[in-house]
Amino acid sequence: MKNLIYIGLTLLFVACATDPQKEMEKKLLGEWCNPYTYQSTGELKGFRFKKGGICESINIPSLDLKTWEIQEGYLIIKGESIEDDGTREEYLTKEKITQLSSDSLSLLVSAGPPRIAFLYLNTKIIKERVTPQK
């Protein structure tokens, strides 16, 4: 009986330790920038995902981002978009995460025909893999 309790506790620990939702959230923390923008302009533009669901834009003055979360494999980002005249509107995106590793994030737009909308690289490696055009 004692062995069954140990086995049950071990299985419970393993199940909790490998929660796919938590693993995705952990991998997403950090800065993610668009490699194509970096290649064409040399500018890092993208998103900063912090603990506690806090999100910020990186060098995108038209976005005042507030929060992020992952729900059922979708990345949801909320905040405000800022128009040229200073007016603010609600900003909300929901894209399917098709790839998330320590260095790559790929999102799929599901409205209309599915297509890859965004590819981001972690800023820790973007300068190693992408060379800006001069």
Side-chain angles (χ1 to χ4, degrees):
M1 182 67 170
K2 198 182 260 188
N3 287 342
L4 287 176
I5 291 173
Y6 289 131
I7 291 170
L9 289 173
T10 301
L11 290 174
L12 179 62
F13 175 75
V14 169
C16 291
T18 59
D19 179 359
Q21 178 83 14
K22 295 289 183 204
E23 289 300 312
M24 288 178 82
E25 290 172 359
K26 196 177 197 181
K27 284 181 184 176
L28 191 65
L29 294 177
E31 295 182 355
W32 298 88
C33 290
N34 184 308
Y36 306 111
T37 302
Y38 181 68
Q39 182 179 30
S40 63
T41 67
E43 293 180 285
L44 292 173
K45 292 189 177 208
F47 303 93
R48 182 177 297 112
F49 299 105
K50 296 181 173 183
K51 288 182 181 179
I54 297 169
C55 185
E56 300 171 344
S57 66
I58 299 172
N59 296 322
I60 307 173
S62 62
L63 290 178
D64 182 14
L65 302 178
K66 304 292 184 194
T67 64
W68 69 272
E69 64 180 308
I70 297 175
Q71 286 184 1
E72 299 176 3
Y74 286 85
L75 175 60
I76 301 167
I77 300 173
K78 297 178 183 177
E80 295 178 320
S81 64
I82 305 167
E83 304 301 318
D84 290 337
D85 65 2
T87 59
R88 293 175 171 257
E89 295 182 13
E90 178 185 23
Y91 177 86
L92 171 65
T93 64
K94 180 179 179 181
E95 281 99 18
K96 179 78 173 160
I97 298 171
T98 57
Q99 178 187 2
L100 177 57
S101 66
S102 62
D103 58 5
S104 300
L105 169 63
S106 180
L107 302 173
L108 181 74
V109 170
S110 53
R115 59 185 167 76
I116 291 181
F118 304 104
L119 171 66
Y120 297 99
L121 294 178
N122 192 298
T123 56
K124 292 178 182 176
I125 60 97
I126 196 168
K127 292 179 181 177
E128 296 171 11
R129 297 192 182 171
V130 181
T131 304
Q133 298 172 350
K134 301 220 178 195

